[in-house]
Amino acid sequence: MTALTVQLGDYPHTRPLKDGTIQAEGVTCRFTESEPLHTAFARMVRDLEFDVCELALATYLQAREAGVPITLLPVVLIGGTHHGSLTRLPDGPALAPADLAGRRVGVRAYSQTTGLWVRGILREEYGLESSDVTWVTTEEPHVRQYREPAYVTRSAAGRVADLLRDGDVAAAVLGPRAIGGQGEGLVPVVQDAGAAALAYVRRHGFVPANHVVVVRDDVLRAAPGAVRALYHALAEAIDATAADRDDSPAGRAVAAGWSEELAGCLALASRYALEQELVRSPIDVGAIEKETDLLR
């Protein structure tokens, strides 16, 4: 038996692994918990604390550029649409996405994946460059080597929604869980955000991914069979829980295995990241796909 330390969020599609209903053959998994989950991401890309770890997509792209020795497993654990993630006060002045030029917008971290997708939408659909906005953050990047652009600043505020309610920013980028929590009562800046999001998915042919899974390179070299077994067990768990997911974009995003949709998602996210100075050099998606051949 090979022992692996595994950090995954608690979802219907990961619970069969965590409760032992589905097991990776020849592998003993020691599952760890982090609350909030994103605090584990910095520990992974800075200290390689886990053998296998859920990771934000933007963090993965930055870590890859920085030479952090991790390899992508082709699994999407969380995804969704983000036209509704750019929020404003419901009783504030009328505000359209293009009106954000020259203003301050709050986001937990400039490298947060939700922010990556939101800024991509702003550029693609409204002609707003990332540098047209001052991005006010409450947390530093996960990847230690990354240096933020000059149009990013840090606030001492504890929560992004507080920046908005205190009048420090004109809008705030909030992930799905934050919208249901600290963002309660806020409304989308994008009109008809749901319809706009579905049009985006139809246009691009995939649902944007937020969280993927990575493995340490040394673990992959030392125990490729164990990593392959864990990957296949996770894919089995995703397949076994398909009935628990609806046909919403978030439900359709969860998937395992290399596909045209995943390749397209990585390619667009990589382009957005380069445009936004989240990375400073192009990402080779073909090379990423080749690295996953061992798992097939």
Side-chain angles (χ1 to χ4, degrees):
M1 299 289 286
T2 300
L4 296 177
T5 301
V6 182
Q7 169 63 57
L8 300 175
D10 188 27
Y11 314 112
H13 43 284
T14 58
R15 286 175 201 145
L17 282 179
K18 291 187 170 186
D19 66 18
T21 303
I22 293 176
Q23 298 184 6
E25 184 177 357
V27 180
T28 299
C29 292
R30 185 175 72 85
F31 291 101
T32 63
E33 300 294 335
S34 296
E35 184 58 40
L37 175 63
H38 70 262
T39 59
F41 301 164
R43 289 150 54 197
M44 181 62 180
V45 297
R46 294 184 180 195
D47 303 317
L48 298 174
E49 183 173 327
F50 314 103
D51 295 327
V52 175
C53 187
E54 180 174 344
L55 197 64
L57 177 56
T59 300
Y60 164 70
L61 295 175
Q62 290 186 316
R64 182 179 180 84
E65 181 180 50
V68 177
I70 55 176
T71 295
L72 178 75
L73 304 185
V75 177
V76 176
L77 292 179
I78 298 179
T81 54
H82 297 290
H83 285 72
S85 298
L86 182 65
T87 65
R88 63 174 179 84
L89 296 172
D91 53 355
L95 184 68
D99 296 333
L100 295 174
R103 300 200 185 194
R104 293 160 61 88
V105 175
V107 63
R108 179 170 56 78
Y110 185 67
S111 54
Q112 184 185 14
T113 302
T114 298
L116 164 74
W117 291 117
V118 167
R119 288 188 297 270
I121 291 166
L122 288 174
R123 185 179 193 271
E124 181 177 315
E125 299 184 8
Y126 303 98
L128 193 70
E129 300 288 347
S130 300
S131 56
D132 293 337
V133 173
T134 296
W135 299 93
V136 183
T137 66
T138 60
E139 294 183 13
E140 65 181 0
H142 295 136
V143 176
R144 183 180 287 114
Q145 297 93 323
Y146 176 65
R147 295 295 177 264
E148 295 166 327
Y151 47 86
V152 177
T153 187
R154 191 89 68 249
S155 169
R159 304 190 310 171
V160 175
D162 293 338
L163 293 171
L164 185 56
R165 294 190 175 100
D166 291 343
D168 191 29
V169 297
V173 175
L174 297 173
R177 292 187 179 184
I179 285 177
Q182 61 173 292
E184 185 176 359
L186 302 180
V187 298
V189 171
V190 176
Q191 289 193 357
D192 298 322
L198 292 177
Y200 181 94
V201 171
R202 288 193 297 270
R203 184 166 71 250
H204 288 291
F206 61 82
V207 177
N210 276 57
H211 291 185
V212 292
V213 181
V214 299
V215 58
R216 280 173 32 195
D217 286 353
D218 61 328
V219 173
L220 183 58
R221 286 193 302 270
V227 175
R228 188 183 303 112
L230 177 59
Y231 162 71
H232 284 296
L234 185 51
E236 181 183 350
I238 288 173
D239 183 63
T241 56
D244 296 332
R245 297 185 292 278
D246 57 26
D247 193 44
S248 67
R252 299 199 305 272
V254 178
W258 193 266
S259 64
E260 290 184 7
E261 290 80 6
L262 179 58
C265 177
L266 289 173
L268 187 60
S270 298
R271 176 164 69 79
Y272 283 173
L274 188 61
E275 292 168 349
Q276 299 168 24
E277 298 185 82
L278 282 172
V279 298
R280 267 80 182 196
S281 56
I283 300 291
D284 186 345
V285 175
I288 296 174
E289 178 182 8
K290 187 175 181 180
E291 291 166 6
T292 69
D293 285 347
L294 180 64
L295 302 170
R296 297 178 182 177

